[in-house]
Amino acid sequence: MRHFVRQDNQMKGVALLANPAKELLSQFKNEKNKLERYKNQLVELNSLATSTTSQLKDIVVTSSNTNTFDNQMARISDLKTEIANQSLLVSIEMQKLKYYVNSLSDDKYVSVIKLRYFEDLPWFEVQEEMGCSERAMYSYHGLALKEINKMMDVQ
């Protein structure tokens, strides 16, 4: 990722992103991955809550056991809320990005962006899937980002 560094007194050494489209796509990919981690945590917490519930049936309930269970249930509830919020954020970003990507002028541009950012493939798999040279793939990527940046400036 290219960065420009401002050298004035107020912003000395602060990197400014040179490519807003790439930043937006990368942020989307990160948010999508974060959502997947949350969902996995929820599965683990639900399993733990089920286990705790069955354990509590077999023992005399004391306040410390109840507090542990209540804490786990609170974590599950908080995580469900966070997943709902994260899902909404990812969905909104996905719609915006799909509009930009589907508006690209070349199918190769669309493919490289979808494979890299929506399907989260590493570069070598993107190249393999597209059936082109590495240089061509990076060229398509750069040109797609330029077009998306132009679209973002218009809106």
Side-chain angles (χ1 to χ4, degrees):
M1 181 184 309
R2 290 188 324 214
H3 291 83
F4 295 114
V5 179
R6 266 178 103 162
Q7 292 299 323
D8 61 28
N9 289 337
Q10 294 174 337
M11 298 290 289
K12 192 169 188 170
V14 175
L16 300 175
L17 291 175
N19 198 324
K22 187 172 183 178
E23 178 64 20
L24 182 65
L25 288 161
S26 295
Q27 182 181 2
F28 165 76
K29 187 168 79 167
N30 292 337
E31 294 299 321
K32 189 175 68 158
N33 291 336
K34 186 177 178 182
L35 179 60
E36 283 304 310
R37 285 192 309 273
Y38 283 161
K39 287 179 180 179
N40 291 336
Q41 287 176 0
L42 181 61
V43 168
E44 290 174 19
L45 286 172
N46 277 328
S47 175
L48 187 58
T50 302
S51 171
T52 302
T53 302
S54 65
Q55 289 173 6
L56 285 175
K57 285 192 288 187
D58 296 337
I59 61 174
V60 176
V61 177
T62 63
S63 63
S64 65
N65 290 337
T66 303
N67 287 341
T68 301
F69 181 72
D70 289 345
N71 289 341
Q72 289 172 351
M73 295 309 292
R75 285 178 56 200
I76 291 170
S77 178
D78 290 346
L79 192 54
K80 284 180 180 178
T81 301
E82 185 64 29
I83 287 172
N85 292 339
Q86 196 71 23
S87 292
L88 182 61
L89 175 69
V90 168
S91 177
I92 291 168
E93 286 301 310
M94 170 95 64
Q95 292 307 312
K96 185 178 6 175
L97 290 172
K98 278 184 178 181
Y99 170 78
Y100 292 143
V101 172
N102 290 330
S103 299
L104 291 170
S105 65
D106 190 309
D107 289 342
K108 296 282 187 182
Y109 301 172
V110 173
S111 294
V112 73
I113 296 298
K114 283 185 176 180
L115 292 169
R116 179 66 179 159
Y117 297 100
F118 291 87
E119 295 182 26
D120 205 17
L121 295 181
W123 285 114
F124 74 92
E125 287 184 28
V126 172
Q127 179 187 355
E128 191 176 283
E129 187 74 28
M130 292 183 70
C132 63
S133 70
E134 182 179 14
R135 184 176 186 153
M137 176 194 62
Y138 286 127
S139 177
Y140 298 144
H141 180 256
L143 293 168
L145 293 176
K146 281 183 183 180
E147 281 191 26
I148 293 171
N149 280 325
K150 285 181 185 175
M151 286 183 248
M152 288 170 58
D153 285 341
V154 170
Q155 304 196 347

